[in-house]
Amino acid sequence: MNLNKICSKVIEFSFYALFIIVPLILTPYNYELFEFNKMLTVYFLTVIIASAWIIKMIVNKKILISRTPFDIPLVLFLLSQILSTVFSIDVHTSLWGYYSRFHGGLISTICYLTLYFAFVSNNISVKKSLKVILSTAVIVSLYAIAEHFGIDKTIWVQDVQSRVFSTLGQPNWLAAYLIALVPLSRWLAPIFLLTIYFTKSQSGLGATLITLFLIFVFFLVKKRLLKIILIAALLTGGSYYLLSSPLAVNNQKTLQLINEENLTRLGGSSSLLIRRVVWQGAFDVWKHYPVFGSGVETFAYSYYNFRPAAHNLLSEWDFLYNKAHNEYVNYLATTGAFGLGTYLLFIFWVLIWILSRPYSLNAIALLLGFISILITNFFGFSVVPVALFFFLFPAFAVNFQTPRLTISKNSNYSLNKWQSLFIITILFLNLYSLIFIINLWRADKIFNLGHNLLNANQIPRAAQTLKQAVDLSPNEPLFRNDYSESLAKLAYLYSGQISNPQVSTEAAKLSGLYLKEAISQSDQVIQANPVHLNYWKSRIKVFLLLSSLDTKYTQNVVESLQKAIYLAPTDAKLYYNLGLIYEQINQTQLAKQALQQALELKPNYDIKLP
């Protein structure tokens, strides 16, 4: 048995599986249908690839890691993510990513970098990889085109015929994924371009026009002129970024633009104006956490502490923003100057290295695909399939243009007892990790069922199901948060049966038990993540329900609202709800003050002062 060859094949076909499964996978069973499954697929296949790679090293008795031109910026970038996680306002989120987004946490970054080095160190064929990637993209595109003509229009809440998203989950994400492949697609380009058009993605269409222009220039001019044009484009893009970024945002000017738009625009606020306000808040986050940011993927928490009051005047004023809707601004806020600096260092290192190499059609096509990602990331944020391209396109370019690591083809390996022991250990760790990832998926599936049951007001079943999710994944606060709400509702339901003489004693006992457990679970949620505004809002709901059973819990409602206001001092709705609670307990002056504050933050609020 040639163990070295087996491991090489496992690594090669795992990469091909990655390129096929990640864009295509989605399930109807999970809390987030698309990104969650794609991220877990990356985890799963990275574990397999890393394990086979380590076993190859054990068999060959050498470190099989190729040196690449991008080692320094990648190591610095990883270091920035580690330090940002260490100093994060919520380490759990920084490790795993924001729940429902997932991609972007430290674990995902480690996976992407592992895949980068595994690809360049194991002689993976770039040509075969691109064939697999493009073939999969054709399937994605054909399904999107079919979507446009109504193949699944009854399945989705969204008007998928107007803006297709295929298996990616969102039109902008689909566009970003396909634009990156247009320079590499040749005769497949018309299919991809038609699909991009059907997404109606503004950022996607803009990035497509720029990419097509660069392709046009590439075919008509010499490489030297291409370099000049690319450098000019980068300088122009950088200047535009500085002019439209939080550095250039003026509070008074923003308010003026919002007021003008509210007078003239029908429908929701423009996406550019929304971004302007969000970027302003992100910049304020960075000023407070200048070096390492608030923590990897913690924007959903830190933004609300610095959210501009102008956000209350937008149509999406009550939405949760867990990203800055600009990858670079997001890195600035969550990982600070060090994080954004190392991220940009990697980008410019890639651009300069490819342009400085001997002329290569393949390398330039990869470069243009890479540039398209930079453009779409400016007006949004990367998702799993696009992030794979961001880290692996440079790996493809390296394999195209530099000698690769060669490994002896000798099949007569004799393993000593230590090698055998190490290999067995790696296999056990591999199995443990894969089971752990499978359980993450199972826990999410169970949680989603419980979450839906809770929304459908099937309280006993919801509580039972959510407890299973908590037991399977006890470190995920979101599961425990919903479980706490279900217990509070159970306590309320059983309290309604106390007046029945036949069950009053048992009902009172159960109501009391569920009440105490609801509080206990809520306490654990807050202890695990004290900076998540949504958890405090959930705690408010729990104590509001319990206060109807015992008025002593009204004070807990007030305290929870005050803590939420501390975390989100410009959230007008929190002041409004606090005012209502004060009115309920006959503290008229405090109610008036809270409601007046809500009106100051949101002058168009429909509020009548007491």
Side-chain angles (χ1 to χ4, degrees):
M1 179 180 66
N2 189 337
L3 189 56
N4 189 69
K5 186 175 180 180
I6 291 173
C7 288
S8 295
K9 287 297 181 183
V10 167
I11 294 170
E12 179 184 6
F13 286 101
S14 292
F15 268 108
Y16 299 156
L18 189 74
F19 300 144
I20 295 170
I21 298 173
V22 167
L24 295 178
I25 191 170
L26 64 99
T27 78
Y29 309 113
N30 298 99
Y31 183 65
E32 204 287 331
L33 311 186
F34 301 90
E35 283 290 281
F36 179 72
N37 293 286
K38 297 180 192 304
M39 193 71 258
L40 287 196
T41 299
V42 171
Y43 290 162
F44 196 90
L45 290 170
T46 300
V47 167
I48 293 174
I49 289 169
S51 299
W53 187 17
I54 293 171
I55 290 173
K56 278 182 68 174
M57 295 185 199
I58 295 171
V59 170
N60 287 275
K61 298 180 182 178
K62 63 167 68 172
I63 302 297
L64 303 176
I65 303 177
S66 294
R67 295 291 302 274
T68 79
F70 311 126
D71 293 354
I72 293 174
L74 285 174
V75 170
L76 288 174
F77 176 66
L78 177 60
L79 178 62
S80 75
Q81 303 305 289
I82 293 172
L83 290 173
S84 180
T85 299
V86 170
F87 295 106
S88 174
I89 60 176
D90 186 70
V91 174
H92 176 80
T93 300
S94 292
L95 277 172
W96 294 101
Y98 183 83
Y99 209 92
S100 82
R101 288 301 183 202
F102 309 104
H103 155 71
L106 178 61
I107 302 296
S108 70
T109 299
I110 291 172
C111 286
Y112 295 132
L113 296 186
T114 300
L115 292 171
Y116 168 87
F117 284 105
F119 192 92
V120 297
S121 301
N122 287 280
N123 297 339
I124 307 301
S125 170
V126 178
K127 291 184 178 180
K128 289 182 181 178
S129 296
L130 288 176
K131 285 181 180 178
V132 172
I133 289 170
L134 292 171
S135 298
T136 304
V138 169
I139 298 172
V140 172
S141 297
L142 291 176
Y143 179 59
I145 293 169
E147 265 187 335
H148 178 72
F149 292 101
I151 191 174
D152 59 355
K153 64 180 180 180
T154 60
I155 296 176
W156 307 104
V157 175
Q158 300 90 336
D159 183 4
V160 72
Q161 283 187 272
S162 297
R163 298 191 66 197
V164 301
F165 53 72
S166 189
T167 57
L168 273 291
Q170 211 263 16
N172 294 331
W173 303 347
L174 174 60
Y177 166 75
L178 291 176
I179 295 164
L181 298 177
V182 167
L184 297 155
S185 57
R186 300 183 185 179
W187 63 272
L188 294 174
I191 299 175
F192 297 164
L193 292 173
L194 179 62
T195 305
I196 293 168
Y197 173 74
F198 285 154
T199 67
K200 303 296 172 62
S201 166
Q202 294 181 7
S203 61
L205 292 171
T208 300
L209 291 175
I210 296 172
T211 303
L212 290 176
F213 170 74
L214 292 175
I215 294 172
F216 175 76
V217 169
F218 167 69
F219 280 112
L220 291 185
V221 302
K222 294 180 180 179
K223 187 185 176 191
R224 180 175 296 179
L225 183 56
L226 176 65
K227 286 185 182 181
I228 295 173
I229 292 173
L230 284 176
I231 292 170
L234 289 171
L235 290 175
T236 303
S239 300
Y240 175 75
Y241 169 72
L242 290 174
L243 291 173
S244 60
S245 74
L247 293 171
V249 170
N250 178 276
N251 291 347
Q252 201 62 38
K253 179 64 175 177
T254 301
L255 285 172
Q256 180 184 341
L257 290 172
I258 292 173
N259 289 330
E260 290 174 358
E261 185 177 80
N262 287 342
L263 289 173
T264 60
R265 186 182 178 91
L266 296 176
S269 303
S270 68
S271 60
L272 287 177
L273 191 52
I274 292 172
R275 282 170 169 78
R276 182 184 179 95
V277 174
V278 174
W279 294 353
Q280 177 186 327
F283 181 61
D284 289 337
V285 173
W286 172 66
K287 287 194 295 185
H288 193 77
Y289 305 99
V291 182
F292 301 121
S294 60
V296 175
E297 284 300 285
T298 58
F299 189 78
Y301 316 147
S302 57
Y303 172 66
Y304 288 88
N305 205 223
F306 301 94
R307 173 180 175 269
H311 202 139
N312 290 303
L313 303 178
L314 298 170
S315 61
E316 297 184 1
W317 71 281
D318 200 26
F319 286 19
L320 174 70
Y321 280 81
N322 46 40
K323 292 278 191 178
H325 290 267
N326 179 306
E327 192 85 339
Y328 312 99
V329 174
N330 203 77
Y331 271 115
L332 182 67
T334 58
T335 65
F338 188 36
L340 178 61
T342 56
Y343 183 73
L344 294 176
L345 177 66
F346 171 65
I347 289 171
F348 283 106
W349 206 303
V350 170
L351 299 177
I352 293 169
W353 183 83
I354 293 179
L355 287 172
S356 67
R357 304 298 293 175
Y359 177 87
S360 167
L361 177 66
N362 293 320
I364 294 299
L366 287 167
L367 176 66
L368 295 177
F370 187 78
I371 290 173
S372 79
I373 295 172
L374 306 183
I375 298 168
T376 52
N377 278 353
F378 180 84
F379 291 103
F381 48 89
S382 66
V383 288
V384 178
V386 177
L388 277 176
F389 291 163
F390 179 82
F391 287 102
L392 289 181
F393 276 11
F396 290 0
V398 169
N399 274 14
F400 266 135
Q401 297 206 12
T402 60
R404 294 173 294 174
L405 187 69
T406 58
I407 302 171
S408 170
K409 295 184 179 180
N410 178 24
S411 61
N412 297 317
Y413 290 100
S414 178
L415 301 178
N416 60 42
K417 63 179 181 180
W418 289 110
Q419 286 176 294
S420 300
L421 179 61
F422 288 148
I423 289 172
I424 292 171
T425 302
I426 293 300
L427 290 174
F428 271 114
L429 291 174
N430 176 77
L431 182 61
Y432 174 82
S433 299
L434 296 180
I435 292 173
F436 178 80
I437 294 167
I438 291 170
N439 282 336
L440 287 178
W441 188 90
R442 289 179 57 228
D444 181 85
K445 177 187 175 184
I446 294 169
F447 165 72
N448 184 54
L449 176 59
H451 179 78
N452 291 334
L453 289 170
L454 187 62
N455 289 338
N457 220 30
Q458 297 184 39
I459 308 305
R461 282 189 63 200
Q464 183 181 18
T465 305
L466 289 167
K467 186 178 186 308
Q468 293 175 14
V470 169
D471 291 342
L472 195 55
S473 187
N475 294 321
E476 180 47 60
L478 180 63
F479 298 176
R480 203 176 292 276
N481 184 69
D482 274 30
Y483 181 44
S484 173
E485 286 191 33
S486 70
L487 290 169
K489 289 184 176 183
L490 270 181
Y492 181 80
L493 286 176
Y494 276 101
S495 70
Q497 299 179 22
I498 294 176
S499 58
N500 184 342
Q502 294 180 339
V503 295
S504 61
T505 303
E506 184 65 20
K509 180 180 178 183
L510 288 173
S511 179
L513 287 174
Y514 288 134
L515 183 152
K516 291 179 181 178
E517 186 61 18
I519 296 172
S520 173
Q521 293 296 324
S522 180
D523 288 344
Q524 291 181 61
V525 170
I526 295 302
Q527 185 178 5
N529 189 336
V531 293
H532 195 333
L533 182 62
N534 275 8
Y535 292 161
W536 283 101
K537 289 181 177 180
S538 180
R539 187 175 175 85
I540 292 165
K541 287 163 60 178
V542 166
F543 279 116
L544 269 173
L545 201 57
L546 299 184
S547 66
S548 65
L549 307 181
D550 191 331
T551 55
K552 72 178 183 181
Y553 293 114
T554 303
Q555 184 58 35
N556 295 95
V557 177
V558 173
E559 291 173 357
S560 298
L561 274 164
Q562 290 172 339
K563 179 60 179 179
I565 289 171
Y566 173 77
L567 293 174
T570 64
D571 190 328
K573 182 174 279 190
L574 291 174
Y575 284 100
Y576 173 68
N577 288 331
L578 182 60
L580 294 181
I581 294 298
Y582 279 139
E583 271 193 299
Q584 183 180 324
I585 58 178
N586 297 319
Q587 295 194 29
T588 307
Q589 188 59 35
L590 290 175
K592 186 176 181 179
Q593 290 175 6
L595 294 174
Q596 184 64 49
Q597 184 63 37
L599 277 173
E600 289 178 9
L601 290 169
K602 185 174 172 60
N604 58 356
Y605 220 153
D606 185 16
I607 295 177
K608 293 182 180 179
L609 297 177

